[in-house]
Amino acid sequence: MKALLMSFLCGLALSGCSAIPLNLKTPEISFVGLKTIEASVFEQKLEVRLKVFNPNSMELPVNGLDVDIELAGEPFAHGVSAREFIVPAQGEAEFDMNVTANAATALLKIAGERKSDPIGYKLKGKLSTKLGMLRTIPFEESGTVPIADLLGKKHKGG
């Protein structure tokens, strides 16, 4: 009887893992903007808005994110979030997370850029999931963001 129960439980556990596709595509993470929470000369606490796009045909239950951010080719900030949310299948979700920055070098470089030029960014880290045995998905994304969005200056009326 014990052997039958163990066999049933092992089969149940394995069938749960088979629901996770082996060809899971890496979600795309993009930078939307940021705002300052508090700042000193040596450290800045920022709220970063990120977007997660899920290219898979199944929803993605996220239970955290660990990210390093570079701006204009310079290390900018690091943050870890334990916020849980679900990204729909072939859909996207935006969320805010707090990061800590020692941004003096990056901000000096950005200040030297022309106001109309977008700033390059790189996001590198890992997305934590609740997908059975698949607990983390590493990612590395890059793109550009307009300086006005970066500084939280939105166009009036928009």
Side-chain angles (χ1 to χ4, degrees):
M1 184 71 156
K2 264 187 174 179
L4 182 61
L5 180 59
M6 289 301 286
S7 176
F8 174 74
L9 290 176
C10 287
L12 188 62
L14 289 175
S15 69
C17 292
S18 67
I20 300 168
L22 297 175
N23 59 347
L24 187 70
K25 296 176 191 154
T26 302
E28 298 168 18
I29 316 292
S30 59
F31 187 78
V32 177
L34 63 87
K35 70 179 181 181
T36 304
I37 297 172
E38 67 179 71
S40 71
V41 174
F42 300 107
E43 185 177 85
Q44 300 79 41
K45 302 246 185 247
L46 308 168
E47 182 178 88
V48 176
R49 185 141 188 95
L50 299 173
K51 183 188 306 185
V52 179
F53 172 72
N54 177 10
N56 298 289
S57 58
M58 61 181 279
E59 68 181 20
L60 182 64
V62 175
N63 66 349
L65 186 77
D66 184 337
V67 66
D68 287 305
I69 303 170
E70 284 183 18
L71 285 180
E74 299 290 335
F76 181 72
H78 175 80
V80 177
S81 171
R83 183 169 170 211
E84 294 185 13
F85 59 95
I86 294 178
V87 186
Q90 298 175 340
E92 59 187 37
E94 287 190 12
F95 69 100
D96 298 320
M97 70 181 284
N98 293 336
V99 297
T100 303
N102 185 347
T105 305
L107 291 176
L108 287 173
K109 189 168 184 180
I110 291 167
E113 301 286 330
R114 292 187 311 184
K115 299 292 184 219
S116 61
D117 289 345
I119 298 295
Y121 70 83
K122 182 192 258 186
L123 304 174
K124 186 175 181 180
K126 57 188 174 192
L127 192 74
S128 298
T129 73
K130 292 183 172 183
L131 291 176
M133 294 175 63
L134 181 64
R135 294 293 181 195
T136 60
I137 302 171
F139 64 87
E140 187 169 330
E141 298 284 341
S142 59
T144 60
V145 62
I147 290 177
D149 290 359
L150 185 64
L151 301 175
K153 296 178 181 175
K154 299 291 181 188
H155 299 289
K156 290 187 178 182

